[in-house]
């Protein structure tokens, strides 16, 4: 059973992002980049399925600049068997990524596609759902537990009212939530082994996909700063301010 795991290169979650002075986007010059945390959870889950003898091969996929090879090498160090980079310098939007993944699903024929529920840079939370629609496959979004047995995937997912458990026929699309697992620490020996694992590079044209952006970013700006708080003398003064200034009462 093949498992395909898409991973995205994003600004590291510990970095405080800055908006460019011309407000065209976020400044990523000389900024530490790493694998999207949700995608790291997806890689970990796929590797655990392989360690359990359920999966036979884990394939990591990334779309973007040549630097994405570093992210793929991290996935290989975690335990993926091989990697595919869809190399392009075009700004990729969720629909374009979903189309690229659909082409790779058609080529590789995986039984499972496990990806992070969203990326921490755009927080779009769209790629997994779009891929499921394009590939006409069942999906289990926001998975906090995954059990694969007898040709089906049982997914426990978080909903507004608590937890929901669904059973999907394979092949299927799974998007990973934070509670699915805790990714392992990548050791130096595994990092060295990852350098020898195969990494294939293809272009969007090779997959027959047009990745031309369909949306135009007009402006990126910092959120407004919070106003300084004030100290009130007593409860009546607080209530008066809530009524007259905040207008929440």
């Amino acid at each position: 059973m093949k498992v395909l795991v898409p991973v995205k290169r994003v600004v590291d979650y510990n970095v405080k992002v800055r908006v460019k002075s011309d407000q065209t986007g976020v400044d990523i010059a000389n900024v530490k980049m790493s694998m999207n945390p949700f995608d790291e959870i997806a890689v970990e889950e796929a590797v655990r399925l392989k360690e359990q003898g359920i999966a036979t091969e884990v394939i990591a996929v990334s779309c973007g600049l040549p630097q994405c090879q570093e992210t793929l090498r991290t996935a290989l160090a975690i335990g993926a068997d091989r990697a595919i980079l869809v190399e392009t310098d075009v700004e990729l939007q969720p629909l374009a990524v979903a189309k690229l993944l659909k082409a790779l699903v058609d080529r590789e024929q995986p039984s499972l596609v496990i990806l992070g529920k969203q990326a921490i840079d755009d927080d779009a939370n769209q790629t997994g759902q779009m891929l499921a629609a394009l590939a006409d496959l069942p999906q289990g979004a926001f998975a906090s537990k995954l059990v694969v047995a007898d040709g089906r995937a049982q997914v426990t997912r978080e909903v507004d009212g608590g937890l929901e458990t669904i059973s999907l026929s394979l092949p299927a699309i799974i998007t990973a939530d934070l509670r699915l697992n805790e990714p392992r620490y990548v050791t130096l020996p595994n990092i060295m082994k990852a350098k020898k694992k195969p990494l294939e590079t293809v272009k969007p044209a090779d997959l027959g996909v047009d990745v031309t952006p369909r949306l135009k970013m007009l402006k990126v700006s910092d959120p407004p700063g919070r106003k300084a708080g004030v100290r009130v003398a007593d409860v009546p003064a607080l209530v008066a301010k809530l009524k007259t200034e905040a207008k929440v009462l």
Side-chain angles (χ1 to χ4, degrees), residues 2 18 30-31 35 78 82 97 106 109 118 120 141 149 151 160 167 169 174 182 197 216 221-222 232 249:
K2 286 184 183 179
R18 301 185 305 273
N30 302 315
V31 169
M35 185 189 300
I78 294 174
R82 59 186 174 97
V97 176
D106 291 341
Q109 294 294 307
Q118 65 194 77
I120 62 172
D160 291 340
S167 180
S169 59
I174 309 294
E182 184 175 344
K197 292 183 178 180
K216 182 180 179 181
S221 58
D222 285 310
V232 294
L249 293 179

Side-chain angles (χ1 to χ4, degrees), residues 37-222:
F38 290 103
D39 296 339
E40 193 173 358
I41 292 169
V43 176
E44 173 68 26
E45 191 67 19
V47 172
R48 291 187 185 188
L49 289 174
K50 184 185 175 185
E51 291 172 345
Q52 295 167 16
I54 298 172
T56 56
E57 185 180 30
V58 177
I59 308 165
V61 179
S62 192
C63 307
L65 299 170
Q67 292 89 329
C68 292
Q69 291 187 29
E70 301 170 8
T71 306
L72 289 171
R73 291 296 178 192
T74 300
L76 293 171
I78 294 174
D81 298 291
R82 59 186 174 97
I84 303 171
L85 170 62
V86 184
E87 185 178 327
T88 177
D89 57 359
V90 176
E91 180 188 352
L92 294 174
Q93 295 172 351
L95 181 58
V97 176
K99 289 181 176 180
L100 292 171
L101 295 178
K102 163 64 164 56
L104 290 174
V105 167
D106 291 341
R107 192 184 82 170
E108 297 290 340
Q109 294 294 307
S111 297
L112 267 180
V113 180
I114 309 177
L115 64 163
K117 70 171 184 177
Q118 65 194 77
I120 62 172
D121 52 1
D122 57 14
D123 276 332
N125 185 15
Q126 296 176 345
T127 305
Q129 293 88 329
M130 288 178 170
L131 174 59
L134 291 172
D136 194 23
L137 294 175
Q139 62 174 310
F142 315 120
S144 58
K145 183 179 180 182
L146 173 63
V147 178
V148 179
D150 302 323
R152 300 190 70 85
Q154 184 172 293
V155 179
T156 301
R157 55 190 301 271
E158 298 191 7
V159 295
D160 291 340
L163 297 177
E164 175 185 65
T165 301
I166 57 176
S167 180
L168 309 175
S169 59
L170 300 181
I173 312 295
I174 309 294
T175 66
D177 205 348
L178 280 174
R179 293 168 183 80
L180 184 58
N181 62 53
E182 184 175 344
R184 69 193 66 189
Y185 178 76
V186 179
T187 62
L188 181 59
N190 287 335
I191 293 175
M192 300 306 294
K193 291 177 184 177
K195 294 181 179 180
K196 299 180 180 179
K197 292 183 178 180
L199 194 159
E200 177 188 0
T201 300
V202 298
K203 302 287 186 181
D206 300 333
L207 301 173
V209 177
D210 178 14
V211 295
T212 304
R214 295 170 178 265
L215 304 175
K216 182 180 179 181
M217 186 73 70
L218 299 179
K219 185 175 72 170
V220 177
S221 58
D222 285 310

